[in-house]
Amino acid sequence: MCAIWFMHVTLLILCYLMLNALTGESLAMAFSSALCIFSLLALVQAQSESQQPKIQLRLAGDKRKHYEGRLEVFYNNEWGTICDDDFSIEAAHVACRELGYLGAVAWSPSAKFGQGEGRIWLDNVHCTGGEKSLAECPSNGFGVSDCRHSEDVGVICNQKRIPGHRFINTMNNNVETLEERVEEIRIRPISSHLKRIPVTEGYVEIKDRGKWRQICDEQWTPLNSRVTCGMYGFPGEKKYNNKVYKSLSMRKKKNYWGFSVNCTGNEAHLSSCRLGKALEPKRNGTCGRGLPVVVSCVPGRAFASSSSTGFRKAYRPEQPLVRLRGGANIGEGRVEVLKNGVWGTVCDDNWNLRAATIVCRELGFGSAKEALTGAKLGQGMGPVHMNEVECSGFEKSLTDCYFNNDALGCSHEEDAAVRCNIPAMGFQKRIRLSGGRNPYEGRVEVLTEKNGSLVWGTVCSENWGMIEAMVVCRQLGLGFASNAFQETWYWAGDASADNVVMSGVRCSGTEMSLPQCLHHGKHINCPRGGGRFAAGVSCSDTAPDLVLNAQLVEQTTYLEDRPMYALQCALEENCLSSTAKKNDHSSYRRLLRFSSQIHNVGQSDFRPKMGHHAWTWHECHRHYHSIEVFTHYDLLSLNGTKEAEGHKASFCLEDTQCDEGIQKRYLCANFGEQGITVGCWDTYRHDIDCQWIDITDVKPGDYIFQVVINPNYDVAESDYTNNFMKCKCRYDGYRIWTYHCHTGGSQSSDMDEYPGMSNQLHFR
């Protein structure tokens, strides 16, 4: 580098001397001198380029997405890091473009993505942003640094890749092969399999320099197939009929890619595998055995086809040991594990793609796209069962991985989550939103077959609700439903799609597409018709999630005999049994009282469905009620018959308390905004009006005490299964005992002692 600068200085001196010598010289001499200078400049430029170090970059570190991480440099046969001193967004742009992304979004100092190992290759990097490589940017020089690994720099790149950029990573130490990358990978089915969805079998092809090329199977292993199937959403691979493919390969011209691939089986994508040695194709275009690579993948249960009913509808798998909760789309969510009959979460300490992939494969998906930390998909409730999980990558279940039993110091703010690769089912191509102000809202239009051709049409909005809207948003990959509309006259949809093509839609909420829900089939029945009364939705990336504190209910339950003269406000608000209207002021009512604490553990605030204009003023209690039906308090017989109810309907929502560091946002007083902030809870104390069940007419015996939040699904949530709480209850006519209180989904089905009771469709 010093020699290059010396040559630049020497050239400047020569230019100065020659220009002085030009005084009085001929034009020809001046022209010759100029040519000489330009030649010398070109020589220096060529020498500069030839002496520029060859480097390769990669993103490393745990707890990261594929487009972000600690920036590492491969130089002089060794990987090292970059110091954050003087690093800038311009340098991040250069690095991200060198990695094949369109640019950088941000950069991070102080080893945000963990401390690296080995040499710190670069320090005080100064880029203008126009360089093609970090090696072109001025710095202290390779290996010259006074930094520690606590100063390792990280970058966050734009998720979009540069079109045509070849990106298979190679970890070989041979610098000459470091530039080899590929643009795209696919599984191409043979003609007899073209109509199969999802595509589970076919040739593995790589797009290289704009052309699709096959891979020679000379060094292909089952581990390579495992990785390929995983990246396409399948948990495993299987054998296939080799004779068919051998026969087909004999007829077609070969076009092999020039490298083999060497996977360990733990990679989330084929692009993360090492490249093997370069292959030398034979004269006839074949490789060793002359066969292109074929993979055959095993789909998970949710995606397996059935000859009788097509794709499986919403199913109830056998009791798993691991589950996902709080995710908007299929194959994503907070990781929860079952231990001693109780569901708990996983702490994100050491959480990485390898452990996340074990979860994904265990649940019938492919490898993990992301290993999420910091409760990014919502906080769980109950215990934290696993901490510092370490997996080899080949375990059958996450529970087989090594982990630390001691979860001390882990809170639900550190709950781990995953996003898995899932098969391409083509669901998004058969539904669309039309007429909305943005891509997240509009009238629901579905593609259906009519008289032998495919036509677009609307969905009947009769009984259309939030559960159906959730399935639509999931099918479109647009997150959670935020609203379900039964009138869409304000959205000018496609006039050619006004006719109703689907009616009687009734979903359970677990379906992957609208046709999997119950519906009328070919016999459409929609009294109001489509058009302005067609079904519509709006979707959102995030949603709230309400959970009742079951332990507090159990701890605060007691009986009170209260005179009627002290219950007039409660009587006006229908908080007593119907027989109370016949009693005089001197009579008493027996009340089962308790406190309720409703937490919002989701990703967005819980807001009432109705605006201020529709809230109801209650003179007795001197505040507005923003939700008319928010909770049900019921006492049930052991067979599920309702024996008494609290009639607790109208609610005033506010932040009573919040987790440390979170500010209250909602307050009922003075006609304030109402809702529950993420990380806060609304507490209704046992000693306030209507926080009870009127059991005056109930006979002694054993009962089930039940509380249901948001029973009519009026407001969207990320998880409705945890919206109810049940307790066992014994009443002897004088005293009452409540025990074994738990929220829905918090325990295994084997331990659920309330058969047939759930907050599902029969409540709607």
Side-chain angles (χ1 to χ4, degrees):
M1 188 70 73
C2 291
I4 294 172
W5 282 108
F6 177 75
M7 291 186 69
H8 276 291
V9 173
T10 304
L11 270 173
L12 289 172
I13 295 171
L14 285 172
C15 289
Y16 177 77
L17 293 173
M18 292 180 73
L19 285 171
N20 284 338
L22 284 175
T23 308
E25 294 290 334
S26 66
L27 187 61
M29 179 65 75
F31 183 70
S32 299
S33 300
L35 282 176
C36 176
I37 292 173
F38 285 131
S39 298
L40 284 169
L41 284 172
L43 176 62
V44 171
Q45 179 68 22
Q47 287 181 342
S48 174
E49 290 179 357
S50 66
Q51 294 182 24
Q52 185 173 302
K54 289 185 178 180
I55 65 169
Q56 185 189 13
L57 303 181
R58 71 179 179 186
L59 298 178
D62 293 331
K63 301 182 182 179
R64 65 182 182 88
K65 300 174 183 175
H66 67 276
Y67 51 84
E68 66 181 18
R70 181 175 62 249
L71 188 58
E72 296 192 350
V73 180
F74 185 76
Y75 173 74
N76 198 25
N77 293 336
E78 184 181 346
W79 283 103
T81 62
I82 298 175
C83 181
D84 59 15
D85 290 351
D86 292 341
F87 202 84
S88 64
I89 190 65
E90 287 77 15
H93 281 307
V94 173
C96 287
R97 285 197 296 270
E98 192 169 356
L99 286 162
Y101 297 97
L102 287 179
V105 175
W107 66 278
S108 303
S110 306
K112 177 186 175 182
F113 295 99
Q115 296 186 23
E117 297 177 348
R119 303 282 295 274
I120 298 177
W121 278 127
L122 292 173
D123 188 9
N124 297 110
V125 178
H126 295 91
C127 299
T128 63
E131 295 87 351
K132 293 182 179 179
S133 170
L134 275 185
E136 297 181 20
C137 300
S139 68
N140 292 352
F142 280 89
V144 181
S145 172
D146 58 357
C147 296
R148 301 177 183 176
H149 282 297
S150 59
E151 300 171 83
D152 286 344
V153 78
V155 295
I156 303 170
C157 300
N158 189 313
Q159 296 185 46
K160 295 182 179 179
R161 298 196 69 91
I162 298 171
H165 193 276
R166 300 178 293 161
F167 63 93
I168 267 197
N169 299 335
T170 168
M171 305 305 293
N172 293 340
N173 289 340
N174 181 2
V175 179
E176 297 304 320
T177 64
L178 287 178
E179 296 303 318
E180 186 58 40
R181 288 162 165 75
V182 298
E183 303 166 30
E184 201 175 336
I185 303 166
R186 73 179 181 184
I187 298 178
R188 180 174 63 83
I190 58 177
S191 56
S192 59
H193 294 172
L194 283 174
K195 293 185 179 180
R196 293 186 184 179
I197 299 176
V199 174
T200 59
E201 184 176 300
Y203 295 107
V204 180
E205 296 185 340
I206 282 180
K207 199 172 189 181
D208 178 40
R209 298 175 180 86
K211 293 183 179 180
W212 286 105
R213 305 180 192 276
Q214 297 171 334
I215 303 175
C216 176
D217 67 356
E218 190 176 50
Q219 298 179 27
W220 190 264
T221 68
L223 294 177
N224 295 350
S225 297
R226 170 185 167 89
V227 172
T228 305
C229 289
M231 60 185 275
Y232 280 97
F234 304 110
E237 74 288 347
K238 64 178 181 178
K239 294 182 178 180
Y240 57 92
N241 186 350
N242 193 41
K243 293 180 181 179
V244 174
Y245 292 96
K246 191 171 184 179
S247 174
L248 287 171
S249 67
M250 298 288 286
R251 306 176 203 165
K252 296 187 177 180
K253 184 180 178 182
K254 313 299 185 301
N255 184 19
Y256 286 110
W257 188 47
F259 292 85
S260 61
V261 181
N262 182 18
C263 301
T264 65
N266 280 327
E267 295 86 354
H269 196 279
L270 203 64
S271 66
S272 299
C273 300
R274 295 189 183 192
L275 290 186
K277 66 179 183 179
L279 299 176
E280 297 181 5
K282 308 296 182 183
R283 290 182 180 178
N284 60 357
T286 64
C287 61
R289 285 175 286 169
L291 293 178
V293 166
V294 175
V295 296
S296 184
C297 306
V298 181
R301 180 176 178 180
F303 306 97
S305 59
S306 167
S307 57
S308 57
T309 59
F311 297 107
R312 295 180 186 270
K313 297 186 177 180
Y315 64 93
R316 294 181 180 274
E318 295 180 7
Q319 185 70 62
L321 295 176
V322 178
R323 70 182 184 185
L324 301 181
R325 282 288 184 270
N329 301 305
I330 191 76
E332 70 176 40
R334 179 179 61 253
V335 180
E336 297 186 352
V337 294
L338 188 64
K339 181 180 179 181
N340 298 328
V342 177
W343 287 100
T345 61
V346 177
C347 185
D348 64 11
D349 291 350
N350 297 342
W351 187 248
N352 57 27
L353 273 177
R354 185 172 293 186
T357 293
I358 294 294
V359 172
C360 292
R361 291 187 188 274
E362 179 180 0
L363 295 175
F365 307 114
S367 51
K369 287 190 292 188
E370 291 183 65
L372 302 170
T373 59
K376 285 196 173 89
L377 294 185
Q379 296 183 27
M381 296 285 283
V384 178
H385 281 328
M386 300 178 76
N387 185 24
E388 298 176 0
V389 179
E390 293 182 15
C391 302
S392 70
F394 294 93
E395 292 85 355
K396 298 282 186 183
S397 170
L398 186 70
T399 56
D400 296 332
C401 297
Y402 167 82
F403 64 94
N404 187 348
N405 281 305
D406 185 4
L408 290 176
C410 279
S411 68
H412 286 297
E413 294 176 355
E414 300 171 87
D415 284 344
V418 299
R419 286 197 176 101
C420 306
N421 287 311
I422 63 170
M425 304 296 291
F427 291 144
Q428 294 183 23
K429 298 177 182 178
R430 304 186 69 88
I431 192 168
R432 68 188 184 190
L433 301 183
S434 180
R437 296 162 296 180
N438 57 64
Y440 282 78
E441 67 177 18
R443 184 176 77 175
V444 179
E445 296 177 359
V446 295
L447 189 64
T448 187
E449 188 173 344
K450 190 173 184 180
N451 299 327
S453 60
L454 293 174
V455 297
W456 288 97
T458 57
V459 179
C460 184
S461 64
E462 192 166 8
N463 297 319
W464 182 260
M466 195 66 72
I467 301 296
E468 289 72 33
M470 282 174 60
V471 175
V472 169
C473 293
R474 179 184 300 133
Q475 183 177 352
L476 287 165
L478 296 179
F480 302 99
S482 55
N483 282 288
F485 303 99
Q486 294 188 351
E487 291 185 14
T488 50
W489 52 267
Y490 36 79
W491 285 331
D494 189 339
S496 64
D498 280 348
N499 292 332
V500 176
V501 296
M502 183 179 287
S503 63
V505 179
R506 200 72 164 172
C507 303
S508 69
T510 61
E511 297 87 354
M512 290 185 286
S513 69
L514 208 58
Q516 291 181 350
C517 301
L518 294 172
H519 59 281
H520 286 154
K522 295 182 179 179
H523 304 288
I524 305 300
N525 179 22
C526 189
R528 294 200 301 174
R532 60 177 293 178
F533 295 110
V537 302
S538 63
C539 306
S540 172
D541 289 330
T542 59
D545 184 19
L546 300 185
V547 182
L548 187 70
N549 185 336
Q551 186 178 8
L552 182 67
V553 173
E554 185 171 332
Q555 292 171 347
T556 57
T557 306
Y558 67 98
L559 291 181
E560 180 191 11
D561 290 336
R562 194 169 181 83
M564 277 299 300
Y565 66 78
L567 294 171
Q568 293 309 299
C569 276
L571 186 63
E572 288 180 22
E573 293 189 16
N574 293 321
C575 296
L576 300 173
S577 297
S578 55
T579 56
K581 296 178 181 179
K582 303 174 184 178
N583 294 142
D584 56 39
H585 280 24
S586 61
S587 62
Y588 284 77
R589 305 298 295 182
R590 177 156 290 179
L591 307 175
L592 169 58
R593 308 199 70 147
F594 57 94
S595 296
S596 64
Q597 192 180 88
I598 301 165
H599 292 248
N600 182 3
V601 297
Q603 298 170 271
S604 61
D605 294 354
F606 185 94
R607 297 295 309 277
K609 181 180 179 180
M610 300 183 298
H612 284 83
H613 66 282
W615 293 0
T616 305
W617 174 258
H618 286 266
E619 186 64 32
C620 280
H621 296 136
R622 304 294 297 172
H623 61 226
Y624 282 93
H625 286 173
S626 59
I627 292 184
E628 286 305 313
V629 181
F630 181 62
T631 56
H632 285 167
Y633 301 155
D634 298 311
L635 197 67
L636 312 170
S637 67
L638 295 182
N639 64 11
T641 305
K642 188 182 293 186
E643 300 292 337
E645 57 185 351
H647 294 283
K648 181 67 178 176
S650 300
F651 250 72
C652 166
L653 295 174
E654 65 180 2
D655 295 328
T656 307
Q657 286 180 281
C658 299
D659 289 328
E660 186 178 351
I662 297 177
Q663 295 290 326
K664 297 179 183 180
R665 297 182 58 188
Y666 302 105
L667 187 66
C668 291
N670 301 320
F671 197 31
E673 289 288 331
Q674 293 193 22
I676 306 177
T677 304
V678 176
C680 300
W681 53 92
D682 188 2
T683 300
Y684 269 69
R685 287 173 48 87
H686 57 84
D687 54 359
I688 65 173
D689 263 5
C690 298
Q691 190 60 32
W692 61 56
I693 297 178
D694 184 352
I695 63 167
T696 306
D697 306 315
V698 173
K699 297 178 181 179
D702 290 319
Y703 297 94
I704 296 171
F705 173 28
Q706 176 178 271
V707 178
V708 183
I709 308 168
N710 196 14
N712 296 334
Y713 310 103
D714 287 328
V715 179
E717 294 187 50
S718 61
D719 186 1
Y720 287 111
T721 63
N722 56 14
N723 275 31
F724 67 96
M725 182 226 68
K726 294 186 177 72
C727 303
K728 283 192 169 183
C729 184
R730 173 162 289 186
Y731 174 50
D732 67 358
Y734 304 98
R735 292 165 298 178
I736 197 161
W737 295 267
T738 53
Y739 56 99
H740 196 196
C741 296
H742 65 268
T743 54
S746 64
Q747 298 187 349
S748 72
S749 56
D750 298 334
M751 292 186 63
D752 194 347
E753 300 180 46
Y754 313 103
M757 303 303 299
S758 66
N759 183 27
Q760 293 299 323
L761 276 175
H762 60 267
F763 281 109
R764 297 176 63 203

